[in-house]
Amino acid sequence: MTYASNSLSGPASQPRARASINDVAVHAGVSAQTVSRVANGQTNVRQSTRERVQASMQALGYRPNSAARNLKSGRFRSIGFVTFNLATLGNERTLNAVAEASEAAGYTTTLLPVIDPTQLDVAGAFGRLEEQAVDGIILVMSSEVGSLDELGITAGLPLVIVDSDANLPYTIVDTDQEQGAKIALQHLLDLGHRDIVHISGPADSFSSRRRADAFRQTMADAGLPARPVLVGDWSAASGLALARELFAAEDRPTAVFASNDQMALGVMHAIHERGWSVPGDVSVVGFDDTEEAEVYWPALTTVHQNFDQVGRHATSLLLSLIDGEPNTKQKILITTRLVVRDSTGPAPTA
């Protein structure tokens, strides 16, 4: 995997001349055409000749010009990956899955993080990736950037979007955020909880907004009033600060549904600060199922997202588009599952 950048080179130095295909041919005592056949993996070369040519390549430090071969075939064997925030668990795991699936298909992955997800910066990212000569792009679009029609995407360049709004005219792969939030809330409702607080992620996050909408809808479907959603920033510190403020009031809820595991950790810290128990006094549910969730105290009940499957599906769909399959502009939602641990229990009786 490579990073796209605009870094400048250091002081000029005199590079060693690169061995050419003719140099190898002279060294091995064969024709340039024979060297080309060996370099391209063709089978119509005798084994003894192949070994002699390969030995000459190694002795001279010759590397086949893959860029030239790719230009000839119209393929660069490279996928661009644009993300707004690589620091989040989901984006990191999705990138890892994309890189592994790309490598298995013989493609490299060029990563370009966009620090400030404005329309101008995302358009610039696409432009830099085109300079890097990629065959298609996977865009992890976790927040609004305006109309993608104005982002400068080269006509015909295949694009798959991850974690995006349902109304965009592109192929989309995403976790089913609504389904995940609903199974978390239904679990709490089944345990008898009627007073539930939701702590969401940032307001500009697509996944955060969908989970918050699902919270309101699920409470309405159950005929229950929904408390105002508290807005965090995905960090444990924000979960802690919001929970401290929440628990300072007299009307303590019986359960908290946090939009990720980190904020759920902050909530449990605030509960323990007050000398209360989890789940005896307040039940807590998270979202993501991080590796650390099972070693929280108590172990965290949470919604498991299959980021690996999201990344693999996105890569598979993009490769199909690169291979000329028609763009059906489909949306694939990867289902979640609830992992029940020790942080949830029956609602306390008055």
Side-chain angles (χ1 to χ4, degrees), residues 1-5 70-71 74-82 102 107-112 124-139 152-160 318-319 321-322:
M1 182 171 63
T2 60
Y3 282 81
S5 69
N70 290 336
L71 284 171
R75 293 286 181 84
F76 303 102
R77 310 298 295 182
S78 180
I79 288 175
F81 187 95
V82 179
S102 300
Y107 280 71
T108 60
T109 306
T110 300
L111 168 65
L112 204 158
F126 283 130
R128 290 193 296 278
L129 280 176
E130 288 166 15
E131 293 173 1
Q132 295 287 325
V134 299
D135 297 300
I137 295 175
I138 293 176
L139 168 62
I153 305 172
T154 298
L157 184 65
L159 172 67
V160 172
L318 183 63
L319 293 176
L321 294 176
I322 291 171

Side-chain angles (χ1 to χ4, degrees), residues 12 16 40 60 94 126 275:
R16 186 180 67 178
N40 286 285
L60 297 176
T94 301
F126 283 130

Side-chain angles (χ1 to χ4, degrees), residues 142-144 200-210 231-234:
S142 52
S143 59
E144 297 278 9
S200 78
D204 64 350
S205 163
F206 287 134
S207 58
S208 173
R209 288 187 340 217
R210 285 197 294 274
V231 180
D233 63 9
W234 300 127

Side-chain angles (χ1 to χ4, degrees), residues 318-339:
L318 183 63
L319 293 176
S320 294
L321 294 176
I322 291 171
D323 286 339
E325 292 291 326
N327 190 348
T328 57
K329 300 175 183 178
Q330 60 185 308
K331 181 170 185 178
I332 295 178
L333 295 179
I334 306 301
T335 58
T336 64
R337 59 183 173 86
L338 184 69
V339 181

Side-chain angles (χ1 to χ4, degrees), residues 289-328:
D289 192 23
T290 61
E291 292 181 1
E292 298 83 6
E294 63 180 350
V295 296
Y296 283 10
W297 186 258
L300 181 66
T301 294
T302 184
V303 177
H304 179 83
Q305 293 196 78
N306 195 330
F307 298 113
D308 291 343
Q309 194 173 357
V310 170
R312 289 194 302 270
H313 267 290
T315 306
S316 176
L317 288 169
L318 183 63
L319 293 176
S320 294
L321 294 176
I322 291 171
D323 286 339
E325 292 291 326
N327 190 348
T328 57

